Structures are given as C-alpha cells and as structure tokens.
Amino acid sequence: MGDITAKLYNDTPLHRDNFIKLVKEGWYEESPFHRVIENFMIQGGGNKNGEQDPNYTVPAEFRSNHFHKKGALSAARMGDQVNPEKASSGSQFYIVQGRIVDERYLNAVTAQTDHIFSEEQKQVYKTIGGTPHLDGGYTVFGEVLDGFDVIDKIAAVKTGEGDVPIVPVTMTIEILE
C-alpha cells in the first residue's frame, strides 16, 4: 500500500537490536498485518509461515520521552495478568494511528492510570493524535518519519473477525543505514 520509513530509538537498545536481527533474518518478509483497528493501530509481527512469535520476550524499556503519538512504533505484549513485568513479544509490533484527543480525555487517562503527560505530549495528542492510554504500559522503540498516509490506508481496510483484514496486507522490511 506504499512505503513507511521509521527510525528506531537508540535508548531502547534491546528492542532496536531485536527488531534489526529479525529483519536481517527475514522474519518479517511477506508478514501480514494481522490486526487492524481504525483510529487505533495496525499490528503485525508473525512470519509468513504463520508463526506469531519466535518464543521469547524482550524486557520492557519504558522511556518517558517516547509516547504513543501517531506513528509510534511499539512492541506488543501479553496482558498484565500473565505478564506483570510487561515484557514485549519477541516479534509482534504495532504502529499507532490513533486519534486526536482533548484535555478532558487526557485527564481521564491520568485519573485511571496515574500516568502524567508532559505539556509537549499533551500538545501532540491534541493536534496529531495517538493512543495515550497505552503510555507507560508498552515499549515505544521507534517512530514513523514518512508514510503516515500509508498507516491511514492500512487502518482503513475492511476487516473481519478478530480485526483481521479481509484481503491480506503484507509487509517487507529493510534496514536503511
């Protein structure tokens, strides 16, 4: 559906290095976006052979300066009940599409999660959008630089049961130096 260019953060080295390793091994070659929810995110990470995970996790690397703005590249994970350490999946990731939110919504998220948003984060969420309720719970390890229109195109595809696209949307990822 087009090209997305993203950068990986150096201050999340476990996630960065793991993602690069999987790309170099060809894990993501022709991998599908298997969960797509408009105004939320697009998720992929299994390989083309149907394996959803390489059977390991990556320790959480939460950084307050990385948040779930539109275009955030984040690691998916199992829920808190079975994963209290909030360790990330070895391969599952999502790209935030999100939506623009207002101050009232941000205050409600803070009341529910105790997460405090910086003024810069509030401004981004109120103008560009994102998924602020995920902040502090999932590792953000990169961000999209170009291809926001492609995120929107993928997020708008028709989905069926389990938010799986009716017509498969696959990816090819390459590392640019």
Side-chain angles (χ1 to χ4, degrees):
M1 299 188 106
D3 292 335
I4 297 173
T5 303
K7 72 175 180 179
L8 303 177
Y9 296 140
N10 287 328
D11 61 354
T12 53
L14 301 174
H15 285 76
R16 178 199 63 210
D17 294 351
N18 180 65
F19 192 78
I20 290 169
K21 175 185 84 76
L22 290 172
V23 169
K24 287 182 176 179
E25 291 174 358
W27 177 271
Y28 297 113
E29 191 67 32
E30 296 180 40
S31 173
F33 283 98
H34 65 271
R35 185 172 178 233
V36 172
I37 304 172
E38 193 165 22
N39 298 317
F40 183 40
M41 58 86 216
I42 58 176
Q43 181 176 336
N47 68 18
K48 68 180 175 184
N49 299 326
E51 292 178 81
Q52 289 301 305
D53 206 293
N55 295 317
Y56 62 83
T57 59
V58 179
E61 294 180 290
F62 302 135
R63 304 289 180 261
S64 61
N65 57 320
H66 303 316
F67 58 103
H68 285 84
K69 63 186 175 184
K70 183 172 185 174
L73 176 60
S74 304
R77 65 176 179 82
M78 298 296 288
D80 292 353
Q81 310 85 329
V82 296
N83 181 19
E85 305 84 25
K86 300 182 182 190
S88 301
S89 161
S91 64
Q92 294 289 314
F93 69 91
Y94 58 93
I95 300 172
V96 171
Q97 181 193 36
R99 62 183 175 88
I100 293 172
V101 299
D102 60 18
E103 187 85 25
R104 194 174 79 197
Y105 180 86
L106 294 170
N107 290 338
V109 170
T110 296
Q112 206 170 40
T113 65
D114 292 328
H115 183 80
I116 306 296
F117 300 98
S118 71
E119 289 305 314
E120 174 197 353
Q121 290 169 339
K122 288 179 182 179
Q123 192 59 32
V124 168
Y125 282 133
K126 292 191 282 187
T127 57
I128 297 168
T131 56
H133 66 281
L134 299 179
D135 287 351
Y138 295 79
T139 298
V140 177
F141 65 98
E143 70 182 90
V144 169
L145 302 174
D146 189 44
F148 291 93
D149 61 322
V150 179
I151 296 169
D152 293 340
K153 284 185 214 174
I154 296 170
V157 301
K158 185 172 175 68
T159 58
E161 189 175 332
D163 304 310
V164 177
I166 301 292
V167 176
V169 178
T170 60
M171 66 182 89
T172 298
I173 302 175
E174 62 183 274
I175 303 295
L176 307 174
E177 299 298 324

